[in-house]
Amino acid sequence: MDFTYTPEQTLLRDTVGSVLTRHYTHERRAEVIAGDPGWDPKVWAAFAEIGLLGLTVPVEDGGIGGGPIETVLALEELGRTLAPEPVFDCALLPALLIGRAGTADQRAALLPGIVEGEQLFGFADAEPGVRWPDARSQTLAVGTGDRWTLTGSKSPVPYGDQADRLIVSAVVPTGERALFLVEARDEAVVRTSYRTYDGRRGADIEFRGAPAELLGTGLDAASIIEEAVIITQAALGAEAVGAMAEALRLTTEYLKTRKQFGVALRTFQTLTHRAADMYVSLELARSMSLYAAMSLADGVVDPTVASRAKRRIDLSGKHIGQEAVQLHGGIGMTAEYPVGHYTARLTTIGHTLGDADDHLRYLSGLPGEQPEAAI
């Protein structure tokens, strides 16, 4: 099997990395996330210019038609710099949902705004008290045809406070889960915004009879929602790999330059062994991330594959994050130094859509599944 990236894939990765390197240092990122909206509109415009926001939009709909491998490469670069722009949450994932479920008219009306960076969409699916893999929904949709109203709560909604429109999952009177479009600034939509542990933005959203438009024509979108969850798990894994790679790089550079008892820390064998173990964890995570992406590229949307990958990546992220902080000593705990911020992001990813223990329980419950296969 050929694991070599194509020239186009390499160019995409390098272009995204170049944009981020040009705009972000650790100090600049800290300044951006401390203000509003929590990300840099200039960087967002640059992403739109290079076509990144249209990565999951087919060429015929105005995008660049990238697949899962291209998405993984781009998200690794975003993870490497901890870029706070909501590329996946507000562009790539909503575009996928609209492409999968939307009518031709809806695709024509909505996708150009995403590609050009003029419209931010949020996906409101998770609900208070409901953890992966539970897919229960208490948000109700009442109506018929093109006249619907939604009542219920969604939490957390990544960057839900920033979105112009929301794609909302809700239960229709027949019991199925459907997808709806909602204007985020409607008076019947109450948003409570907050900063997340890793410095990003989220929102709790309450729908009080909010007017909504059915996305597509079908009332059963369960398979599309499940696919969105699996793709999100793969995307989080790719971003985590980028964050782990940079955390390891920072750690090895620190061991080369920091001196103790007059000699560099790299001369202490125990510390170099711990750094080598971090590298092993990184490569395990990278392999599983590629496994998940290649499965999606082959049209295999399998929750078991996604769960195996997510568990391994979460374990690697926890190991690398903790070791990075410990090998840096006291400086690793300071807000002024970047390594703690990578650990915070890896921790957040590790608790999104199931942590390592959640995925072990899920895999253990599958017929014929051996838990050690995911360790």
Side-chain angles (χ1 to χ4, degrees), residues 208-285:
R208 301 175 176 175
E213 174 189 348
L214 181 66
L215 181 62
T217 58
L219 293 179
D220 186 2
S223 61
I224 296 174
I225 296 170
E226 181 183 32
E227 180 182 7
V229 170
I230 290 171
I231 291 172
T232 301
Q233 289 172 332
L236 289 169
E239 187 185 343
V241 167
M244 282 185 253
E246 184 62 13
L248 176 58
R249 187 194 70 79
L250 289 168
T251 303
T252 54
E253 287 298 317
Y254 184 78
L255 294 178
K256 291 176 184 178
T257 56
R258 180 75 169 91
K259 292 186 177 181
Q260 190 82 20
F261 306 115
V263 296
L265 292 179
R266 65 183 178 184
T267 62
F268 295 92
Q269 192 175 58
T270 299
L271 301 185
T272 57
H273 284 178
R274 289 170 68 178
D277 287 341
M278 292 170 67
Y279 175 76
V280 172
S281 284
L282 171 61
E283 289 308 305
L284 285 170

Side-chain angles (χ1 to χ4, degrees), residues 23-361:
H23 285 88
Y24 276 122
T25 61
H26 173 63
E27 293 75 17
R28 174 57 182 160
R29 176 186 176 274
E31 179 184 332
V32 167
I33 65 174
D36 288 322
W39 46 276
D40 191 342
K42 292 182 180 178
V43 177
W44 191 257
F47 285 157
E49 184 177 353
I50 65 175
L52 178 61
L53 304 183
L55 186 58
T56 57
V57 178
V59 174
E60 56 269 25
D61 289 328
I64 62 176
I69 302 298
E70 289 77 11
T71 301
V72 161
L73 290 174
L75 291 173
E76 277 190 28
E77 293 303 312
L78 291 165
R80 198 182 302 274
T81 57
L82 293 183
E85 283 69 32
V87 173
F88 182 78
D89 294 311
C90 293
L92 303 188
L93 180 59
L96 273 172
L97 289 168
I98 294 168
R100 295 282 196 276
T103 64
D105 288 343
Q106 287 172 331
R107 294 196 302 271
L110 301 175
L111 291 177
I114 295 176
V115 173
E116 295 164 11
E118 296 175 353
Q119 285 271 307
L120 271 66
F121 283 73
F123 181 39
D125 182 47
E127 298 194 358
V130 180
R131 287 176 57 86
W132 182 93
D134 191 346
R136 288 177 300 161
S137 179
Q138 300 297 319
T139 300
L140 301 178
V142 178
T144 184
D146 59 354
R147 305 178 71 87
W148 293 83
T149 58
L150 302 187
T151 302
S153 299
K154 295 291 184 178
S155 175
V157 182
Y159 292 95
D161 60 328
Q162 308 286 319
D164 301 300
R165 291 184 177 181
L166 298 166
I167 300 175
V168 186
S169 61
V171 178
V172 297
T174 53
E176 291 95 348
R177 297 174 74 200
L179 292 172
F180 296 88
L181 294 166
V182 177
E183 293 291 339
R185 292 177 175 79
D186 190 278
E187 61 182 10
V189 178
V190 180
R191 299 188 285 183
T192 303
S193 62
Y194 47 80
R195 293 186 183 182
T196 57
Y197 174 70
D198 53 355
R200 301 194 175 197
R201 305 300 175 94
D204 297 337
I205 302 180
E206 183 179 356
F207 301 96
R208 301 175 176 175
E213 174 189 348
L214 181 66
L215 181 62
T217 58
L219 293 179
D220 186 2
S223 61
I224 296 174
I225 296 170
E226 181 183 32
E227 180 182 7
V229 170
I230 290 171
I231 291 172
T232 301
Q233 289 172 332
L236 289 169
E239 187 185 343
V241 167
M244 282 185 253
E246 184 62 13
L248 176 58
R249 187 194 70 79
L250 289 168
T251 303
T252 54
E253 287 298 317
Y254 184 78
L255 294 178
K256 291 176 184 178
T257 56
R258 180 75 169 91
K259 292 186 177 181
Q260 190 82 20
F261 306 115
V263 296
L265 292 179
R266 65 183 178 184
T267 62
F268 295 92
Q269 192 175 58
T270 299
L271 301 185
T272 57
H273 284 178
R274 289 170 68 178
D277 287 341
M278 292 170 67
Y279 175 76
V280 172
S281 284
L282 171 61
E283 289 308 305
L284 285 170
R286 195 190 304 277
S287 297
M288 292 304 286
S289 177
L290 187 58
Y291 167 51
M294 292 179 70
S295 295
L296 290 171
D298 288 340
V300 179
V301 185
D302 188 341
T304 304
V305 171
S307 192
R308 287 171 177 166
K310 183 69 164 54
R311 172 168 166 78
R312 179 62 260 175
I313 292 168
D314 288 350
L315 290 171
S316 291
K318 182 177 182 179
H319 174 225
I320 290 175
Q322 291 180 346
E323 286 288 80
V325 170
Q326 291 182 19
L327 289 175
H328 275 85
I331 193 174
M333 299 294 293
T334 63
E336 292 77 16
Y337 194 74
V339 73
H341 296 269
Y342 283 94
T343 302
R345 181 58 183 155
L346 289 170
T347 301
T348 301
I349 289 174
H351 287 279
T352 304
L353 292 179
D355 61 20
D357 290 340
D358 291 328
H359 286 281
L360 180 59
R361 283 190 290 269

